[in-house]
Amino acid sequence: MPQGEIRQRREVNLRVGAAVAEIEGLYAALLRTTQPRQRARLLTELARAGRRLTVLAALPPERLPPTPASGSRRRRRRMLAERGAAWVMDRFTGRGRG
C-alpha cells in the first residue's frame, strides 16, 4: 500500500475520531448545564458538529479505509459514529437519515 494512501486513511480516521470526541464533549456539557442561553449555544454547536461528522461519513468510498473485519474495534467505533451522527441530525435538525 502506497505511503500516501496510508497517510490519507489515517487522516480520515483522525478527523472522524475528533468529530466524535467533539460531539461527546458537547453532549456531556449539555447534560450538565441549566442556563438557558448556554443550553441554546451548546445545542447549536452540537448540531454543527453533527453536520461535520455527517459530511465526513459521506466521503466517497475511495477516501475511506476498507471495512475492517466484523466485530473489530474499528468497525464498532465507525458504526457508533454513524449512529451518533444520525441521532444528532435527527434530534437537533429533524433531518435524520431514513
Side-chain angles (χ1 to χ4, degrees):
M1 186 179 301
Q3 194 70 8
E5 190 176 334
I6 292 172
R7 238 183 249 137
Q8 186 178 25
R9 289 180 183 188
R10 190 174 303 143
E11 179 183 331
V12 170
N13 286 340
L14 287 173
R15 286 181 185 210
V16 169
V20 170
E22 180 183 12
I23 289 171
E24 289 171 346
L26 288 168
Y27 185 68
L30 180 66
L31 290 177
R32 285 160 182 69
T33 188
T34 57
Q35 304 280 331
R37 276 189 173 168
Q38 190 173 9
R39 270 185 87 70
R41 182 183 60 81
L42 287 169
L43 284 171
T44 302
E45 289 181 30
L46 192 55
R48 279 192 204 124
R51 281 189 218 103
R52 281 192 296 273
L53 180 58
T54 303
V55 167
L56 285 172
L59 287 174
E62 63 271 3
R63 294 262 341 255
L64 296 176
T67 305
S70 65
S72 72
R73 180 174 34 182
R74 197 173 274 161
R75 181 172 172 79
R76 287 190 307 268
R77 284 190 61 92
R78 183 173 200 88
M79 287 173 33
L80 287 172
E82 290 171 358
R83 189 181 313 155
W87 180 85
V88 168
M89 290 298 290
D90 186 49
R91 175 82 167 95
F92 298 108
T93 65
R95 294 185 309 239
R97 44 174 199 169

